[in-house]
Amino acid sequence: MAVCERCGKDAGVVTVGRMSLCAGCGASAPHPAMAPPGPPGVPAPPRQGPPPGPTPQDVSWGEPPPGQTPGPAEWAPQPGAPPAWVPVYGPPPKKKRSAVAIVFIVLGVVVAAVVGAGVVLAIAQSEDDKDAAEAVDDFSEGATETFAYTPPDGSFTIEFPEEPRSDNLTQPIAETDADFTIHMAVARVGRLNVFQAGYSEYPPEFQLDPQGALDSAVAGGVAENDGTLLRDDETTVGFLPARSFAVRYDDPGAGVELVANALVVSAGQRLYVVSVTTEDGAREVFDEFIASFEILT
């Protein structure tokens, strides 16, 4: 214990912050932890570090340290992929098309088939084209007899200018195990005038986005027929979102250019489709047809 140079007492040292004070008189005193300086010209002894140990060895993943025998599982070569921090090189995985995207593609194809199927269904009709044109004009003016149609499930009603034929089809959805259903009613007036109304319905696991479904339907109706979009109008049927559009396309089977006016309506898991295919694309005929269209359920 150091003797204070001021009071001469061996009272000990008190440390306050970085200062060392005499416990008797409070005068500054040497810090007990500090070693006294050595003789002039003699360097201070080097600081003592940690005791020397073995030279560190590089150990790769899955290998035991040198001099040790592999034993515990942590040193044994591990099956499977290396740790997450090890870079893995190679091409990125191929993106899978989502089920919703597949359904939208199917929507487009279905509408394309409706838009472009007019002549295929009407080509065998024997009625004279002139008489057919007059019949279509009479229908657009509300001056002819109509035929009411309601599908078996009672989901909608519409008035045709001729008695329609109807059919149900079940089709698989590509890249899935699911199916979708198509119901379509068709009436022909002459060779080139075709009236159609129906729907495609999708299973519950495919939650259709209304806007996406309508976009895909319009795009498919144009692309699959290599046609020209003449108009595309947003509208509604009741409270349901819908699109009314027209496509001009060449039909090689009939050797003529046709115009299909179509209405698509998004209703939950269903997409309703109503269309009129004619040579002149008269809007009045289409307007009269969809004016009688009503979704019931």
Side-chain angles (χ1 to χ4, degrees):
M1 193 173 290
V3 177
C4 179
E5 296 178 356
R6 181 176 178 181
C7 66
K9 294 182 179 180
D10 191 8
V13 177
V14 178
T15 301
V16 180
R18 294 187 176 183
M19 298 179 63
S20 298
L21 306 178
C22 175
C25 65
S28 62
H31 195 282
M34 294 178 64
V42 178
R47 289 188 174 184
Q48 297 294 324
T55 304
Q57 301 290 327
D58 292 330
V59 179
S60 61
W61 181 76
E63 297 178 359
Q68 293 191 20
T69 302
E74 59 266 25
W75 290 114
Q78 302 297 314
W85 48 262
V86 177
V88 178
Y89 299 98
K94 184 178 180 181
K95 291 184 178 179
K96 288 187 176 181
R97 211 157 37 184
S98 69
V100 174
I102 294 169
V103 169
F104 286 166
I105 293 171
V106 172
L107 284 172
V109 172
V110 168
V111 173
V114 170
V115 169
V119 172
V120 175
L121 295 171
I123 198 69
Q125 187 72 17
S126 60
E127 186 175 356
D128 183 81
D129 286 344
K130 183 178 179 180
D131 292 341
E134 291 178 356
V136 171
D137 288 341
D138 289 343
F139 173 78
S140 66
E141 296 170 1
T144 186
E145 181 184 5
T146 59
F147 295 81
Y149 176 78
T150 301
D153 67 352
S155 57
F156 71 88
T157 183
I158 194 168
E159 299 282 337
F160 282 87
E162 299 283 347
E163 186 174 3
R165 296 181 179 180
S166 63
D167 198 4
N168 284 322
L169 297 174
T170 300
Q171 298 290 329
I173 298 176
E175 301 180 28
T176 74
D177 295 328
D179 297 329
F180 71 101
T181 302
I182 302 172
H183 177 84
M184 193 61 62
V186 183
R188 301 176 299 278
V189 181
R191 294 189 313 124
L192 306 177
N193 306 289
V194 180
F195 297 72
Q196 302 180 90
Y199 59 81
S200 55
E201 183 170 12
Y202 301 86
E205 58 264 35
F206 298 98
Q207 295 298 316
L208 299 186
D209 168 63
Q211 191 59 48
L214 296 176
D215 289 343
S216 297
V218 175
V222 176
E224 293 295 327
N225 292 291
D226 195 21
T228 301
L229 185 65
L230 302 180
R231 63 177 181 83
D232 182 10
D233 306 316
E234 293 187 358
T235 183
T236 57
V237 173
F239 62 89
L240 298 173
R243 294 276 277 278
S244 177
F245 65 101
V247 178
R248 179 189 290 119
Y249 66 98
D250 292 323
D251 191 292
V256 297
E257 187 177 68
L258 299 175
V259 175
N261 283 279
L263 173 73
V264 288
V265 185
S266 180
Q269 296 306 107
R270 282 191 178 187
L271 189 80
Y272 288 93
V273 183
V274 181
S275 72
V276 177
T277 302
T278 61
E279 189 172 6
D280 59 7
R283 180 72 182 269
E284 295 82 4
V285 180
F286 175 67
D287 290 343
E288 181 69 20
F289 190 42
I290 64 172
S292 66
F293 175 66
E294 182 180 1
I295 297 176
L296 303 176
T297 59

